[in-house]
Amino acid sequence: VLENTSQPAFIDYDDHQAEDDNIEQTASGFKFYMRVPDRCFGMIIGKKGSSLKQLQQETGTKIKLPSSNSHSDHTHGLTCITGSSKRNIISAKVRIELLVDSCRSKSLPTHFVMVPLSSKQIIDNYIQFKNMVMQDFSQSLFERPSHKIGNDYINVTSAGKESRLCSGIEESIMQVPQRLHITIVVLRLLDEAEEDSVKRIFESCADITKKHLKSSKQPTVRIKGLEIMGDDPSAANVLYAEIHDKIMQNLGEDIADRFTTSGFTGKDGPRLKLHATLMNSRYRGSTTGKAKPLDVRNIVQEMGDFDFGSEHVNAIQLCKMQKNVDGHYITISSLPL
């Protein structure tokens, strides 16, 4: 692709001077290699190469994405940016990074950092909670006589007692007991190389655990109370149990901050709120790609103070959002506490 001589659109060079050391000088100018996940190539190239052409014109550079037949040990899998000045190259690099960030933010979560919940007390109480929800609030139990009032279904039990049912509540949206966990941070990774990077970041968090636990034993978390993600309990996607422990909250915030700084979270959300997901509309799956929300108003009103018990936290894990043969999440790495 020919380099265009139109005026480049620059990123503030002063903010990126530290990157100069990685830019190589050549006989005709400068050259820089960077790794770009191949999942982002389509966004960078655009329809018939239009986006790539515009990017090169606006930054005054040439950008060569890696090909499958590139065999150089030094450049294999790397994107090459060439230009007449370091300023041009840094401008193109930052623009590509912004496109990768956009690609990441549109991707579904792939990995997460969490605390597994496996004590008998927690599991037994969760199963009790799940059974109560399915018995008293699930519309899937239509074998009982029922009728509709407004948007709610009124179910009359055999004993003549009425109980309100909630829209969207069914077995498939409930968390599986062996996958109960406390979520610390959710990640959106685009390839295997990023998984290796995230593993190194996770293992570097050992200094955070030492800082928060140096003068105390393993934290004990209390799991009590129900909350939703969002503001509308009549159209919620996630219902979770609240976590009560100051040490674990502070530890989790520092770990989440380290991953947010790395850029692998993909989205900047509110300050960390430790939680244990109990229901998630995404668990049900959807052919349209959009999860059907849950109406949990009656559940929160009647069971909002449900106490799941306490558990000693002995490890933090980095996991894939995939299941192994035993039904547990696939663990990538673990930090003992």
Side-chain angles (χ1 to χ4, degrees):
V1 180
L2 293 177
E3 186 173 358
N4 190 283
T5 57
S6 62
Q7 184 66 28
F10 291 121
I11 304 295
D12 190 348
Y13 178 75
D14 292 337
D15 292 339
H16 299 273
Q17 286 189 34
E19 300 168 18
D20 281 3
D21 292 341
N22 296 318
I23 299 176
E24 304 173 23
Q25 187 162 9
T26 66
S28 58
F30 296 91
K31 177 170 59 176
F32 177 77
Y33 290 101
M34 66 184 296
R35 204 190 66 78
V36 178
D38 57 9
R39 192 185 301 183
C40 305
F41 288 177
M43 181 178 289
I44 294 171
I45 296 170
K47 187 176 182 181
K48 296 182 179 180
S50 58
S51 298
L52 180 59
K53 182 178 180 180
Q54 181 179 356
L55 178 57
Q56 291 178 125
Q57 290 174 338
E58 292 179 350
T59 60
T61 61
K62 291 180 182 179
I63 301 169
K64 184 178 180 181
L65 298 170
S67 60
S68 57
N69 58 4
S70 174
H71 299 296
S72 169
D73 291 337
H74 174 57
T75 64
H76 178 63
L78 298 178
T79 293
C80 181
I81 306 172
T82 57
S84 60
S85 73
K86 291 183 178 181
R87 182 185 293 268
N88 290 26
I89 286 178
I90 289 176
S91 180
K93 173 183 179 292
V94 174
R95 291 278 296 275
I96 291 172
E97 289 173 338
L98 291 173
L99 289 170
V100 172
D101 288 344
S102 177
C103 181
R104 191 184 309 282
S105 68
K106 295 174 182 178
S107 301
L108 292 175
T110 59
H111 296 64
F112 63 115
V113 178
M114 62 89 147
V115 174
L117 296 173
S118 57
S119 72
K120 186 177 186 303
Q121 180 188 45
I122 298 293
I123 298 299
D124 287 350
N125 286 336
Y126 170 69
I127 292 174
Q128 179 188 6
F129 168 82
K130 178 181 176 181
N131 290 340
M132 291 171 67
V133 167
M134 295 304 298
Q135 177 70 24
D136 296 335
F137 302 102
S138 174
Q139 289 188 27
S140 63
L141 301 178
F142 273 127
E143 63 271 15
R144 303 176 188 173
S146 62
H147 59 279
K148 189 175 183 180
I149 298 181
N151 292 324
D152 296 330
Y153 285 84
I154 303 299
N155 172 257
V156 184
T157 66
S158 56
K161 182 181 178 180
E162 294 184 348
S163 65
R164 284 189 176 275
L165 303 183
C166 297
S167 173
I169 305 302
E170 58 187 59
E171 183 83 17
S172 62
I173 57 96
M174 303 294 296
Q175 180 64 280
V176 177
Q178 66 262 39
R179 293 199 290 274
L180 277 175
H181 64 275
I182 300 171
T183 303
I184 294 178
V185 63
V186 175
L187 308 170
R188 293 169 169 82
L189 307 187
L190 302 176
D191 58 22
E192 291 182 3
E194 290 193 343
E195 183 178 289
D196 292 336
S197 297
V198 160
K199 183 179 178 183
R200 288 192 294 271
I201 295 171
F202 174 75
E203 291 171 353
S204 78
C205 291
D207 66 327
I208 295 176
T209 63
K210 289 178 181 178
K211 180 182 77 172
H212 288 283
L213 302 177
K214 61 183 179 182
S215 60
S216 62
K217 298 178 181 179
Q218 294 173 339
T220 300
V221 295
R222 179 78 178 276
I223 304 171
K224 180 181 179 181
L226 305 179
E227 264 296 346
I228 64 165
M229 295 290 184
D231 302 317
D232 185 0
S234 70
N237 285 313
V238 175
L239 177 75
Y240 64 86
E242 296 184 286
I243 310 300
H244 305 276
D245 182 76
K246 186 175 181 180
I247 293 176
M248 197 65 218
Q249 176 69 30
N250 293 337
L251 189 158
E253 286 178 359
D254 283 354
I255 291 177
D257 285 346
R258 183 164 295 183
F259 278 98
T260 300
T261 301
S262 74
F264 290 120
T265 56
K267 295 181 179 180
D268 292 329
R271 193 67 175 167
L272 171 70
K273 173 70 173 179
L274 289 179
H275 66 279
T277 298
L278 307 173
M279 305 179 193
N280 191 327
S281 60
R282 287 189 180 276
Y283 294 164
R284 173 169 38 221
S286 170
T287 56
T288 63
K290 187 175 181 181
K292 178 184 176 182
L294 315 171
D295 182 351
V296 296
R297 287 173 294 179
N298 295 330
I299 298 173
V300 172
Q301 181 178 352
E302 297 183 28
M303 303 180 70
D305 291 327
F306 193 92
D307 192 345
F308 295 87
S310 300
E311 180 162 340
H312 295 294
V313 177
N314 54 35
I316 298 175
Q317 296 179 352
L318 170 64
C319 297
K320 285 184 178 182
M321 288 191 174
Q322 298 175 12
K323 301 181 285 290
N324 61 22
V325 293
D326 297 323
H328 295 87
Y329 290 112
I330 297 174
T331 301
I332 304 299
S333 186
S334 182
L335 287 176
L337 300 184

